[in-house]
Structure formats: structure tokens, C-alpha cells
């Protein structure tokens, strides 16, 4: 997101010259020159500004007042950090004054640390008063203190165009204000602000006989929900359109009537994520087994008993496209056999659709279990496989070769953090795995340039994404050779300190992205 200075200070001569150089370079590439600034129309300048990388915005803003004004007018997304020491009124007034210069914002993130109680309300109301408030489609409000339902009720009418909203906390917990956001498709509540009250009653607990109107929400992420929190029932009863649900660090789904209403929002879910929810994971998995008839993706991180996982797999695994189990302490071979078993549901003909299986830190599964899965029709159809920090990979040297021979459709492979993985194991595997487009080897400290040689020999014509970050034994020369000769490579994930000038030149020539923090679509 673009970042802008709070004020536009008069720049010293050297700074103005540097900024003009940035602008001049841009205009030279577009057939214009910064010296002809006065002859260029506003629309042309704004179009050029939209092509600039975010890092260039501060320099461009120093060229002239006109450039600053046009830069702000062309900015559609903005991230602001409010000073921690500002009192309520001062922070809100500063924010309001700043936002008045950005009439065409559509996405805004406001971060404030050490926020006094009540300051979050003032910040929210200042955002709602901005000239572009009606244009906002995405808002992330991240203060340290909680926003009150009263402030949300007052602000939401001005923010009725929101399709995505992320809040740190709402206290007392209430969701009735969501009815004032008729276009909201995605809502995230962290619920981890430092100033929150104890769990207790909420006015949302009872509907007073009113008919539960459906909310337009399709994506919902809740973090830090406690077993004693009230008000969730009102939300669950209105979330019949949910397609994606994420629960993070939650030990409940709400007390009393809320617990009974939760199952009602599961019927249309396509994706479910349970992250660090040990206390409630079993209950949710069992409900999902009974109610999630459309589910295609499940992620469980640190939670789920053997019985709950087994029942879910038996009832729902056949329809899953993605199964992602991270730190599943009770996952063992029986679960893998259940994943590969032929589905039997009411005599109907159900076909397996599992395309992505991701396992991380699975200490109880063995090579026999993975081999048994690979021999089934389900295993043969897997296109994405992750065995991250799984010691079974290191215990059984021939396992990867067997899996690659059996999973002929495999195109994406993640073997990250298997520290004793050797070049020999990688080479043997790749000889039977020639269709890879994405391989992740992050943290495999035992690998050397020999693995890149094997990868180039067997997958050099197909590989598009390679992650070799935290692999200190791979020499720079091998990396450069691979980047030069891999014909379809477009993303290489590697530490900034390991990027040589030669590698930068190769990447620039081939249009390849290199770096330690790359986002790659359709990947793990």
C-alpha cells in the first residue's frame, strides 16, 4: 500500500533535486520531461503517478505542491501509522486533516500503538468523516484499544460501501452494526486489544422475536473468541451465506444459544480453517462432518483429536480438494488410510477430488502410511504435496522416490525444513518427477548445488517457482547457473544477502522476481 507523509515539508535543495530526478526518469520513459511540468495536464501526471512503485511516492511528493496534490488525488490505497503519544482529539484531528487531501481513496489501513481507551472510537469517527468515506471498499483499523458498538453504529452509515473490514476488537462484543454495511463480504475481528472487558452478557444474545435477516458475509475470520463471550449467536444466525470461515486462538464459539446456532452457518462453507483452537477443534470438526456438505478445503493447525479427525475424514474427505494438517499431534497412519479409502455414502457414486495434501510436523505417520495412500486412486491424483518438517522423510531415504513414482500428477512439492535431506535423495526423487512447476526447499540445510543440478536436469524446462532460502550450503554460482538456464523460472525465493549482482542482472533480463518475501499465486 502507498504511504504518504503527514505533511508536505519544504524540501531542502538536495532533496528536491533528488525527487526531480526520480520524476524526470519516469517522464523520460514516457516521452516527457520534468521541465515541461507546467505544460502537462493533470490527468497525464496522475496516470504516470499510478505507474510508480510505492517507494517512489515520498520523493515525488517533494518536487512541487502541484505534484503533491496530484499524487494524493491519484492515491487509491493508503497505510497510516498514528503517533503513540498523541491524545485522542489530536490524533483524530490529524487523521481527519490528512484524509481530507485524499478524495479518491478506496482502501485504508490505520495503525496506532499504545492507544488510550476511547481513542479507537475517535479514530473510527474521523475515518467515517473523510471525504472519500463513501468510496472505501476496504478498511483495516488496528488500534491497541477496542472500538465500541456505539461508535460503529454511528460510523457505518458513512462507510456503507465497504466490502472488507478488519478490526482489532469490539467491546462489549456486539455485531448488530453489521446490518448497516449492506455490501460487506469479508470481516475479520482479532479480538486481542489490550483494553477489553470480561466476557459477559450482550444485547445481541436475544433477538426479541425479530426475524433473523441474512448478512451478505462470505468470509469471516474470528480470533481470540473466549468460551464465555456472548453475542455470537446473533452473528451465527445471520451467516448463512458464509463460504470461508477461520477461527484462530479461540476456545469457544460463544456461550448459551450461540453454541446451538453455530452449526447453522456451516452448510454452505467451502473452506474451513482452525488455527490453535485446541479447546474447540473437536466440536467444530464433528459439526463440520455432519453439516459441511459443500466443503472443499480444510486447514487444522495444532488441534483435533484422533477420533474427531477420523470421523471428519470418513465423512468429508472424498469431496475435499485441499487437506492441510499442521502439527496434528494425533494424526497417524489410520487417517492416511481413511483419506485413500473408497467413499461409501448412501450408495451414490462419489469420486475423490483431493488435489492438495499438506502435512507439517506429523510425528506419528510412517513411510508405510504414505506409501499406502500413494497406491490408492486418491494418492495418484494428488497434484500438490507438502511434507514440511516431517521426520519420516529423513528416516526413510527411498520414500520420496516411491511417492514421485506413484503420484504421476504431482506438480507442486514442499519439503521445507527437512534439515538432513540430502542431494542424493532429491536427485533420486526428481528422476521420476519431471512435471514440477513449484518446489520449496526452504531450510533444507543439508542440500548443496548438486540438488540444483538435478533440478535443472529433470525440471529445468517446467519449473516456475523455486524456494531455496535458508539453504546456506548452496553456492551463489549454482544459483546463478540455475536462474540462467531454467527456461520458465519466474520466481526465486532467496535471502537478500545471497542475491549477487550477476543474479540481479539475470533476473532483470528474464523478467524474473527474486527476493525473500515473494507472493506467488496458486502456491503453498
Amino acid at each position: 500500500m502507498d504511504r504518504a507523509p503527514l505533511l508536505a515539508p519544504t524540501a531542502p535543495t538536495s532533496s528536491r533535486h533528488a525527487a526531480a530526478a526520480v520524476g524526470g526518469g519516469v517522464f523520460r520513459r514516457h516521452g516527457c520531461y520534468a521541465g515541461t511540468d507546467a505544460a502537462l495536464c493533470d490527468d497525464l501526471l496522475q496516470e504516470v503517478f499510478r505507474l510508480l512503485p510505492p517507494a517512489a511516492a515520498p520523493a515525488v511528493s517533494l518536487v512541487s505542491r502541484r505534484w503533491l496534490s496530484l499524487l494524493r488525488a491519484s492515491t487509491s490505497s493508503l497505510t497510516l501509522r498514528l503517533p503513540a503519544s498523541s491524545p485522542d482529539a489530536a490524533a483524530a484531528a490529524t487523521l481527519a486533516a490528512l484524509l481530507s487531501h485524499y478524495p479518491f481513496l478506496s482502501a485504508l489501513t490505520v495503525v496506532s500503538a499504545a492507544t488510550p481507551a476511547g481513542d479507537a472510537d475517535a479514530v473510527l469517527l474521523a475515518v467515517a468523516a473523510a471525504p472519500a468515506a463513501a468510496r472505501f471498499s476496504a478498511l483495516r483499523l488496528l488500534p491497541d484499544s477496542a472500538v465500541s458498538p456505539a461508535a460503529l453504529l454511528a460510523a457505518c452509515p458513512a462507510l456503507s460501501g465497504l466490502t472488507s473490514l478488519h478490526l482489532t476488537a469490539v467491546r462489549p462484543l456486539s455485531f448488530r452494526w453489521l446490518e448497516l454495511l449492506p455490501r460487506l463480504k469479508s470481516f475479520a475481528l482479532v479480538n486481542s486489544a489490550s483494553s477489553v472487558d470480561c466476557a459477559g452478557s450482550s444485547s445481541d444474545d436475544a433477538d426479541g422475536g425479530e426475524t433473523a435477516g441474512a448478512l451478505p458475509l462470505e468470509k469471516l475470520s474470528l480470533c481470540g473468541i473466549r468460551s464465555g463471550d456472548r453475542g455470537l449467536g446473533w452473528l451465527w444466525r445471520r451467516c448463512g451465506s458464509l463460504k470461508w470461515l477461520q477461527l484462530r486462538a479461540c476456545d469457544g464459539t460463544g456461550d448459551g444459544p450461540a453454541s446451538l446456532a453455530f452449526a447453522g452457518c456451516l452448510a454452505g462453507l467451502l473452506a474451513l480453517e482452525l488455527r490453535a483452537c485446541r479447546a474447540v477443534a473437536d466440536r467444530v470438526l464433528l459439526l463440520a462432518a455432519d453439516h459441511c456438505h459443500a466443503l472443499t478445503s480444510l486447514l487444522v493447525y495444532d488441534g483435533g483429536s484422533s477420533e474427531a479427525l477420523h470421523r471428519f475424514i470418513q465423512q468429508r474427505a472424498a469431496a475435499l480438494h485441499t487437506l492441510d494438517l499442521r502439527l496434528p499431534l494425533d494424526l497417524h497412519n489410520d487417517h492416511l488410510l481413511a483419506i485413500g479409502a473408497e467413499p461409501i455414502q448412501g450408495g451414490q457414486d462419489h469420486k475423490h477430488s483431493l488435489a492438495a495434501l499438506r502435512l507439517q510436523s506429523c510425528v506419528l505417520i510412517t513411510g508405510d502410511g504414505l506409501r499406502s495412500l500413494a497406491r490408492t486412486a486418491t494418492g495418484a491424483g494428488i497434484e500438490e504435496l507438502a511434507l514440511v518438517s516431517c521426520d519420516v522423510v529423513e528416516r526413510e531415504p527411498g520414500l520420496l522416490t516411491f511417492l514421485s513414482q506413484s503420484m504421476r500428477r504431482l506438480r507442486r512439492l514442499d519439503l521445507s525444513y527437512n534439515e538432513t535431506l540430502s542431494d542424493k535423495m532429491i536427485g533420486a526423487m526428481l528422476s521420476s518427477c519431471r512435471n514440477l512447476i513449484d518446489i520449496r526447499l526452504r531450510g533444507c540445510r543439508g542440500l548443496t548445488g548438486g540438488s540444483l543440478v538435478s533440478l535443472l536436469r529433470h525440471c529445468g524446462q517446467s519449473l516456475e517457482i523455486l524456494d531455496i532460502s535458508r539453504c546456506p550450503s548452496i553456492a551463489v554460482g549454482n544459483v546463478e547457473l540455475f536462474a540462467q538456464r531454467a527456461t520458465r523460472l519466474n520466481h526465486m525465493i532467496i535471502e537478500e544477502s545471497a542475491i549477487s549482482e550477476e543474479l540481479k542482472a539475470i533476473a532483470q533480463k528474464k523478467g524474473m522476481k527474486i527476493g525473500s518475501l515473494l507472493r506467488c499465486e496458486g502456491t503453498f
Side-chain angles (χ1 to χ4, degrees):
M1 289 189 178
D2 299 333
R3 299 178 186 272
L6 287 177
L7 300 174
T10 303
T13 303
S14 59
S15 297
R16 285 202 297 270
H17 288 170
V22 173
V26 172
F27 280 96
R28 280 191 292 274
R29 288 193 296 273
H30 288 79
C32 306
Y33 293 88
T36 62
D37 179 12
L40 295 174
C41 66
D42 290 354
D43 289 344
L44 177 58
L45 277 170
Q46 288 180 319
E47 185 62 30
V48 173
F49 290 162
R50 292 189 184 99
L51 299 176
L52 288 172
V60 170
S61 68
L62 298 177
V63 173
S64 68
R65 290 185 180 276
R66 180 185 178 221
W67 279 37
L68 172 62
S69 177
L70 292 177
L71 178 64
R72 287 171 167 174
S74 64
T75 299
S76 60
S77 62
L78 191 66
T79 296
L80 299 172
R81 292 184 178 274
L82 299 183
S85 58
S86 297
D88 308 14
T94 301
L95 179 61
L98 179 60
L99 292 178
S100 67
H101 296 293
Y102 293 87
F104 298 107
L105 280 181
S106 60
L108 175 65
T109 297
V110 180
V111 181
S112 56
T115 313
D119 194 24
D121 285 356
V123 170
L124 174 62
L125 294 175
V127 169
R135 302 174 63 93
F136 288 167
S137 61
L139 175 62
R140 290 168 54 86
L141 192 61
L142 309 175
D144 277 354
S145 60
V147 178
S148 71
L152 286 162
L153 287 169
C156 283
L159 301 168
S160 59
L162 285 179
T163 59
S164 176
L165 177 62
H166 185 119
L167 296 176
T168 301
V170 177
R171 289 290 168 176
L173 200 59
S174 174
F175 298 97
R176 288 181 179 269
W177 50 272
L178 286 170
E179 292 181 312
L180 302 177
L181 300 174
R183 300 179 184 177
L184 194 67
K185 299 293 185 181
S186 176
F187 175 51
L189 178 64
V190 178
N191 205 36
S192 62
S194 56
S195 301
V196 296
D197 61 356
C198 297
S201 63
S202 166
S203 58
D204 292 356
D205 283 347
D207 288 335
E210 65 184 82
T211 303
L215 295 172
L217 285 177
E218 295 180 359
K219 297 182 66 177
L220 178 62
S221 175
L222 298 177
C223 177
I225 298 299
R226 299 168 294 180
S227 58
D229 281 336
R230 302 284 182 164
L232 274 299
W234 187 95
L235 178 63
W236 299 134
R237 283 189 286 272
R238 289 161 176 79
C239 283
S241 300
L242 276 187
K243 305 299 182 185
W244 182 86
L245 174 62
Q246 180 189 72
L247 300 178
R248 297 168 48 211
C250 297
D251 62 17
T253 57
D255 257 352
S259 295
L260 300 177
F262 175 70
C265 73
L266 301 177
L269 276 188
L270 298 179
L272 174 63
E273 294 189 6
L274 303 175
R275 296 177 180 265
C277 297
R278 283 192 182 187
V280 74
D282 277 9
R283 177 174 177 272
V284 175
L285 284 172
L286 293 175
L287 287 173
D290 293 335
H291 297 278
C292 290
H293 303 289
L295 199 69
T296 60
S297 176
L298 173 71
L299 183 153
V300 179
Y301 173 71
D302 189 18
S305 68
S306 176
E307 293 77 10
L309 283 170
H310 201 275
R311 179 174 162 187
F312 176 88
I313 290 171
Q314 281 187 319
Q315 294 186 222
R316 296 292 163 218
L320 290 181
H321 176 275
T322 301
L323 181 58
D324 192 336
L325 303 175
R326 308 180 186 184
L327 199 64
L329 300 181
D330 290 325
L331 185 76
H332 47 76
N333 288 347
D334 287 348
H335 297 97
L336 299 181
L337 296 175
I339 291 171
E342 290 297 322
I344 302 176
Q345 295 188 10
Q348 300 179 10
D349 183 19
H350 289 267
K351 294 184 178 180
H352 284 285
S353 58
L354 189 66
L357 177 63
R358 301 166 186 163
L359 304 176
Q360 178 175 333
S361 302
C362 299
V363 297
L364 297 181
I365 62 173
T366 68
D368 289 340
L370 287 169
R371 290 188 186 92
S372 297
L373 173 60
R375 292 189 186 100
T376 66
T378 300
I382 290 176
E383 299 176 9
E384 300 180 19
L385 177 65
L387 297 172
V388 177
S389 188
C390 290
D391 58 358
V392 64
V393 173
E394 302 167 6
R395 288 197 313 262
E396 303 192 28
L399 176 61
L400 290 179
T401 302
F402 182 89
L403 295 180
S404 65
Q405 292 172 345
S406 303
M407 298 178 175
R408 291 295 185 177
R409 298 181 63 181
L410 197 62
R411 291 171 62 78
R412 302 182 189 274
L413 180 63
D414 189 349
L415 299 173
S416 297
Y417 298 108
N418 290 296
E419 295 191 352
T420 62
L421 197 62
S422 67
D423 293 334
K424 182 178 179 180
M425 295 166 68
I426 290 292
M429 175 197 69
L430 291 175
S431 64
S432 305
C433 194
R434 298 172 178 267
N435 298 317
L436 287 182
I437 63 171
D438 182 350
I439 187 167
R440 309 298 177 103
L441 301 170
R442 175 187 296 258
C444 295
R445 304 179 65 84
L447 299 184
T448 70
S451 291
L452 292 189
V453 173
S454 297
L455 193 58
L456 189 61
R457 180 185 305 119
H458 299 296
C459 304
Q461 305 300 313
S462 63
L463 199 70
E464 299 174 8
I465 300 168
L466 172 65
D467 185 348
I468 49 172
S469 54
R470 302 184 185 181
C471 296
S473 299
I474 298 180
V476 174
N478 296 118
V479 177
E480 294 170 352
L481 178 66
F482 187 88
Q484 181 68 54
R485 296 190 179 180
T487 57
R488 299 186 62 186
L489 189 68
N490 53 49
H491 287 78
M492 179 180 285
I493 304 172
I494 188 172
E495 296 96 331
E496 300 292 338
S497 59
I499 300 176
S500 65
E501 292 301 321
E502 178 67 19
L503 183 58
K504 289 180 182 178
I506 295 171
Q508 185 175 14
K509 182 179 179 180
K510 299 180 67 175
M512 184 174 67
K513 296 181 180 179
I514 57 174
S516 59
L517 296 173
L518 296 181
R519 289 179 175 268
C520 311
E521 290 189 10
T523 60
F524 293 101

